[in-house]
Amino acid sequence: MKNRYAVVLAAGKGTRMKSSLYKVLHPVCGKPMVQHIVDQLTACEVDDIVTIVGHGADKVKDQLGERTSYALQAEQLGTGHAVMQAESVLGGKDGTTLVVSGDTPLLTAETLTELMKHHEETGAKATILTAVAEDPTGYGRVLRNDGDQVERIVEHKDATYKERRVKEINTGTYVFDNTALFDALANVGNDNVQGEYYLPDVIEILQTRGETVSAHIAPDFNETMGVNDRVALSEAEKWMKRRINRHWMTQGVSMTDPEQTYISSDAVIGADTVIEPGSMIKGNVTIGQGCVIGPHTVIEESAVADNSVIRQSTVNRSRVGSGVAIGPFAHLRPETTLGNDVKVGNFVELKKMSMGDGSKASHLSYLGDADIGSDVNMGCGSITVNYDGKNKFLTTIEDGAFVGCNANLIAPVTVGKGAYVAAGSTITDDVPGESLAIARARQTNKEGYSKK
């Protein structure tokens, strides 16, 4: 197999997005568009990826890191000019070069691999990724000769009535013989209204030289969608969501209403899990088998083990064991770890804490900066008082302890193994194991007081 390279065009500002965020960094299903492209190119096992950066270069580099090389297009003088900047990395190398825009997040590794394979098998110097559009209005038409080779590309505004009836359109993704690409780019001019260097001019130069130009049709027109404004961004989001949801349903995940279910492209979900409507699974999330998620649950950057149920709750950067029941209306904030068979009920908020196997906080509690052992009961309204206005402190509750309702545990404090804390207590000192702590005023009744 020939050496394979890729050039990602990511230098344009994207003024039609009307955003302070650089266009290719706008997310689709939780991941920036340019990251989708680089991920798919990585799956294609290309030998080198060169990302052309311009506006927002540092932010793009921060996002992609060392997964690509970079070339700067200081002035945006057209797509041809952008590819010219990659010559410092790819110039003089033999092989196949794929040129793809950073705002086409729906392209898949399978399509790009088939495109390069088709290019190499036909011996073409250039191959265009095309698509069949039901309504090709506005797109450049790909016109083929009797030998099925590309004869020319004609823009919609320049096309005749007959040419406009052609439904095969140019998607703006190309594969070139690398040496032929940069040789032809040296001859591309900018004698046009915009004063820019256009990449499609390379096609015409190669044809003039008698070189073969072929085309490969993408399996789905929607996969080739380019995102230039917020409307197209929402369309890309819709198609990506459908693709992701369809994939997981074929892997044994049930979705009550896929149109109302949002799953990140980086999520992993086990078989026999049920996702209820209104749920959002964002970022790197792992969900085990046999779980029930939702309705209206948000899980972000977290791991959930088998057979757990999370209803109408939020889980963020946390780890949930197996057989856990969460919700409704619970909130797991970052750095929360729950063991197996834990119960976290309605209106319970957890933050930077752990709960051992079999423990429960059934309702109306705040537990933050706490280390809670196994088989611990946290009564309704129990609170770990962890913050003095400047610093936060740890509460430790050992295995088998029972904390009664409306107890305040003033950190730093430890409740020993098997100890009891009476309801309504405010605990400021450690509670020894197997003991009962009562920290409240003794009740006094003033008879006849109401008559006075």
Side-chain angles (χ1 to χ4, degrees), residues 247-418:
H247 166 76
W248 287 116
M249 286 187 285
T250 64
Q251 300 302 306
V253 176
S254 293
M255 297 182 194
T256 308
D257 186 352
E259 291 299 313
Q260 299 296 320
T261 302
Y262 173 101
I263 300 174
S264 159
S265 60
D266 292 325
V268 177
I269 307 173
D272 294 320
T273 284
V274 177
I275 312 293
E276 299 282 3
S279 295
M280 302 184 72
I281 298 170
K282 306 169 73 174
N284 289 296
V285 172
T286 301
I287 298 174
Q289 299 181 1
C291 296
V292 178
I293 307 299
H296 304 293
T297 289
V298 178
I299 303 176
E300 186 170 2
E301 302 291 341
S302 298
V304 180
D306 298 345
N307 303 310
S308 289
V309 177
I310 306 176
R311 296 192 181 280
Q312 292 163 298
S313 296
T314 297
V315 178
N316 185 12
R317 286 193 285 156
S318 298
R319 302 186 67 83
V320 177
S322 63
V324 173
I326 298 175
F329 312 118
H331 186 185
L332 274 63
R333 291 168 57 192
E335 299 183 60
T336 293
T337 300
L338 304 182
N340 301 326
D341 302 312
V342 168
K343 180 180 180 182
V344 177
N346 51 295
F347 303 106
V348 173
E349 181 178 355
L350 309 178
K351 188 273 295 185
K352 199 177 182 180
M353 57 84 66
S354 63
M355 292 184 77
D357 295 350
S359 292
K360 56 185 177 180
S362 297
H363 26 237
L364 300 164
S365 293
Y366 169 73
L367 307 173
D369 295 278
D371 184 2
I372 299 174
S374 300
D375 299 313
V376 171
N377 179 83
M378 301 300 296
C380 176
S382 55
I383 295 173
T384 59
V385 184
N386 58 333
Y387 186 46
D388 67 0
K390 291 185 178 180
N391 300 298
K392 294 186 178 181
F393 301 92
L394 180 68
T395 297
T396 301
I397 304 173
E398 297 179 352
D399 295 351
F402 185 101
V403 177
C405 294
N406 292 318
N408 298 309
L409 308 177
I410 312 297
V413 71
T414 297
V415 177
K417 185 175 182 179

Side-chain angles (χ1 to χ4, degrees), residues 127-133 136 138-143 152-155 167-174 199-200 203 221 224:
T127 301
I128 306 163
L129 180 65
T130 66
V132 177
Y139 291 96
R141 306 304 201 279
V142 176
L143 306 179
R152 62 193 178 100
I153 301 170
V154 60
E155 295 303 318
K167 293 188 175 183
E168 186 177 7
I169 59 98
N170 177 18
T171 68
T173 296
Y174 307 91
L199 183 60
I203 302 295
F221 169 74
T224 68

Side-chain angles (χ1 to χ4, degrees), residues 59-77:
K59 292 183 178 179
V60 174
K61 290 179 180 180
D62 288 344
Q63 175 64 41
L64 300 178
E66 298 180 358
R67 297 180 65 184
T68 87
S69 303
Y70 298 94
L72 177 66
Q73 186 186 21
E75 290 185 89
Q76 277 65 63
L77 299 177

